[in-house]
Amino acid sequence: MKPFTYVQHPARVVFGAGSRSQIVREVEALRGDRVMLIAHEGSDEIAELLGSRVVLRWDEIVQHVPLDLAERARDAAEAASIDVIVCVGGGSATGLAKAIALTSRRPIVAVPTTYAGSEQTTIYGLTGDRHKQTGKSIDVLPRAVIYDPELTVGIPASVTGPSAFNALAHSVEAFYAPGCNPVITALAKEAIAAIRDSLPRVMAAPSDIDARGALLYGAYLSGVALGATSAAFHHKICHVLGGTFDLVHADAHSVVLPHAVAFIAPSIPDEMKSLGEVLGAEPAGALWDLAVESGVPTSLESLGLAESDLAEAAERATAGVATIAAPGNPRPCSEQQMLSLLRRAFAGARPTPGDAQ
């Protein structure tokens, strides 16, 4: 076996239907007396459980965490003398909590209600001037995460499917991203199998708690996989589409992932063979088929991107992936090749191995 280095991040995970009832215990374990609760409307149950510990509620949550929003939330947290941040919601809620923890070093208790997985990573992102800047800091890693599949039942299908593909992308990239190793590959395989099997079930029967639990389990493992590696070729493209053109992050993943995999596949045959074994077919086509079966977006045009934006997107994405060292950027990509990839994603056609040319 090849030598490897694996940094296992410290984290506490509470998983299971009804586990949200343990939120007070997790906050108390962090000596939290003054809680900032970051959540959209509808988190009244969590607020009631926390009671008088909540000294600041924040419901202004925006994807990609704009810098001005982060600064206002930081100022409010400082003024309220908070000692613990509780975030309830998807990646945007977790992202705002991380932005506050980055400068205040206050611990986070995350209660994910989507499948973003960012609660398991040291990665943060802030957006300004049509550019999304990401970084890493152990200070933003939540100290405890409560996974309660019951909280995901009300998620609309339009959020559930793309959010699951966001998680799927984390595990797919873990096969080749910087930091990849046998431990993470094993986790990624387990995550992909769980998502592959449960996502169509959840989309067909949204109230199926067992299927929701399996999907949340896959997302959790995918978050661990991302947390141990880093954003690579596919993610850099999605960061451009979100940061520059304000596309929904999860939707961009469901569209781009099959095409990104088709492009890089010839350069990492061993990894693609392993991925294909989990998916049961050629990876790029299998991912697109799963997207269609699950009813998630498969074209950039359907997300509202204009065809006239493709040239700028290709220029920015090419520059972005060029900053990634191997193995995260397994195949050199010219601006023309990136434009061709994005055009295929814009049209939403099923990718084939020939698309890699």
Side-chain angles (χ1 to χ4, degrees):
M1 178 175 287
K2 294 180 180 180
F4 66 91
T5 299
Y6 171 39
V7 178
Q8 187 167 317
H9 293 140
R12 177 177 169 83
V13 170
V14 181
F15 194 107
S19 58
R20 62 191 180 278
S21 64
Q22 300 182 47
I23 185 70
V24 172
R25 186 185 70 181
E26 298 307 317
V27 169
E28 287 180 341
L30 297 171
R31 299 180 181 179
D33 295 317
R34 299 181 63 81
V35 172
M36 177 181 189
L37 177 60
I38 299 175
H40 285 297
E41 294 180 3
S43 60
D44 291 344
E45 182 180 0
I46 299 295
E48 289 174 5
L49 287 168
L50 290 170
S52 61
R53 293 178 180 84
V54 178
V55 296
L56 176 61
R57 294 190 65 167
W58 191 278
D59 61 7
E60 184 183 357
I61 301 169
V62 181
Q63 67 170 345
H64 309 302
V65 193
L67 277 168
D68 68 310
L69 172 60
E71 290 297 336
R72 285 189 285 109
R74 287 166 175 169
D75 290 344
E78 182 68 23
S81 300
I82 63 109
D83 49 28
V84 171
I85 307 163
V86 173
C87 55
V88 183
S92 297
T94 306
L96 182 58
K98 287 182 172 184
I100 298 167
L102 181 65
T103 55
S104 70
R105 297 189 176 180
R106 295 294 185 264
I108 300 171
V109 176
V111 186
T113 61
T114 68
Y115 310 103
S118 57
E119 68 281 351
Q120 290 296 335
T121 81
T122 61
I123 302 169
Y124 63 88
L126 295 164
T127 303
D129 193 26
R130 301 180 72 227
H131 175 69
K132 185 170 184 176
Q133 179 65 46
T134 60
K136 286 188 173 184
S137 171
I138 193 65
D139 292 330
V140 308
L141 180 70
R143 298 278 293 276
V145 183
I146 296 176
Y147 290 101
D148 188 338
E150 291 180 354
L151 293 177
T152 69
V153 171
I155 304 174
S158 60
V159 175
T160 294
S163 178
F165 256 80
N166 187 358
L168 192 59
H170 297 155
S171 282
V172 168
E173 286 216 311
F175 275 74
Y176 68 91
C180 59
N181 62 69
V183 177
I184 291 304
T185 298
L187 287 177
K189 287 180 177 180
E190 174 79 359
I192 291 169
I195 295 170
R196 176 204 63 203
D197 294 341
S198 61
L199 178 56
R201 291 169 55 202
V202 168
M203 297 299 276
S207 61
D208 185 335
I209 293 296
D210 286 339
R212 288 278 186 184
L215 188 56
L216 196 59
Y217 169 67
Y220 155 48
L221 293 183
S222 293
V224 174
L226 175 63
T229 57
S230 23
F233 181 83
H234 162 77
H235 271 79
K236 284 294 184 179
I237 298 173
C238 292
H239 285 163
V240 167
L241 293 172
T244 303
F245 302 99
D246 202 32
L247 298 191
V248 176
H249 185 64
D251 290 359
H253 277 292
S254 72
V255 172
V256 173
L257 183 61
H259 300 280
V261 167
F263 180 79
I264 64 174
S267 297
I268 46 174
D270 292 342
E271 289 82 353
M272 288 298 107
K273 179 182 178 181
S274 183
L275 178 59
E277 290 171 352
V278 180
L279 291 170
E282 182 275 319
L287 289 167
W288 189 88
D289 292 342
L290 179 60
V292 171
E293 182 183 4
S294 304
V296 304
T298 55
S299 78
L300 292 176
E301 184 177 25
S302 71
L303 303 186
L305 188 72
E307 189 170 7
S308 58
D309 290 329
L310 292 177
E312 182 184 1
E315 179 183 4
R316 288 176 176 261
T318 303
V321 299
T323 65
I324 309 171
N329 186 10
R331 181 184 176 194
C333 184
S334 69
E335 189 173 324
Q336 185 57 48
Q337 288 172 315
M338 181 65 73
L339 181 58
S340 295
L341 186 160
L342 290 174
R343 280 175 174 161
R344 290 190 290 272
F346 183 82
R350 188 180 191 273
T352 65
D355 291 342
Q357 303 301 322

